[in-house]
């Protein structure tokens, strides 16, 4: 009888765990997160970085942003966050594209500029 109770508890625990793991994340990326990932790339996208290739920290940020934009529903919100974060900054939108290619982000970021329609 004790074994049966233990086994039943174990089965319920496994079912709950599977349900938690199977539930897709529905939280949209926050603009704060996008801004933090974008920060190490500021001098690169402004063309003031001393190297042609983005820094390692910038690449990690671009990879994170790229992963956020892969989801169709998140693309618009991430795009708007980028535009908002760089609202008062002069930069080259094409550097998002070239930087993501140089960093092998897996998903090439579009050239998000002040006039981009998200």
């Amino acid at each position: 009888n004790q074994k049966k109770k233990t086994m039943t508890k174990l089965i319920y625990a496994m079912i709950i765990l599977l349900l938690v793991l199977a539930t897709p994340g529905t939280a949209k990326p926050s603009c704060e997160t996008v801004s933090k990932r974008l920060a190490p790339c500021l001098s690169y996208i402004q063309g003031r970085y001393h190297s042609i290739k983005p820094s390692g920290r910038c690449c990690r940020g671009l990879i994170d942003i790229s992963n956020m934009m892969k989801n169709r529903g998140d693309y618009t919100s991430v795009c708007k966050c980028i535009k908002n974060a760089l609202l008062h900054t002069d930069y080259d939108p094409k550097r998002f594209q070239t930087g993501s290619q140089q960093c092998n982000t897996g998903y090439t970021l579009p050239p998000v500029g002040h006039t981009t329609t998200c």
Side-chain angles (χ1 to χ4, degrees):
N1 197 10
Q2 183 64 26
K3 283 184 181 181
K4 191 174 183 180
K5 285 182 183 179
T6 304
M7 187 60 104
T8 303
K9 286 180 183 179
L10 181 62
I11 290 172
Y12 283 130
M14 289 177 64
I15 290 171
I16 291 170
L17 179 64
L18 287 172
L19 288 172
V20 169
L21 292 175
T23 305
T26 55
K28 295 259 183 237
S30 72
C31 284
E32 181 182 350
T33 302
V34 173
S35 294
K36 284 180 182 177
R37 300 304 184 271
L38 194 57
C41 298
L42 192 56
S43 61
Y44 172 76
I45 62 172
Q46 289 178 317
R48 297 186 292 129
Y49 189 63
H50 64 278
S51 175
I52 295 172
K53 186 176 179 185
S55 68
R57 286 184 62 217
C58 177
C59 279
R60 284 189 295 279
L62 290 176
I63 289 168
D64 287 347
I65 291 171
S66 171
N67 287 335
M68 291 177 212
M69 291 183 96
K70 280 182 187 175
N71 300 327
R72 178 58 85 191
D74 295 339
Y75 176 89
T76 301
S77 57
V78 172
C79 177
K80 288 178 180 177
C81 289
I82 291 171
K83 285 177 63 172
N84 190 40
L86 300 172
L87 187 61
H88 302 290
T89 306
D90 289 327
Y91 66 98
D92 181 359
K94 293 177 191 162
R95 290 201 167 239
F96 284 110
Q97 201 168 29
T98 57
S100 67
Q101 290 168 344
Q102 291 172 327
C103 296
N104 298 318
T105 59
Y107 169 80
T108 302
L109 294 170
V112 178
H114 295 298
T115 59
T116 301
T117 303
C118 297

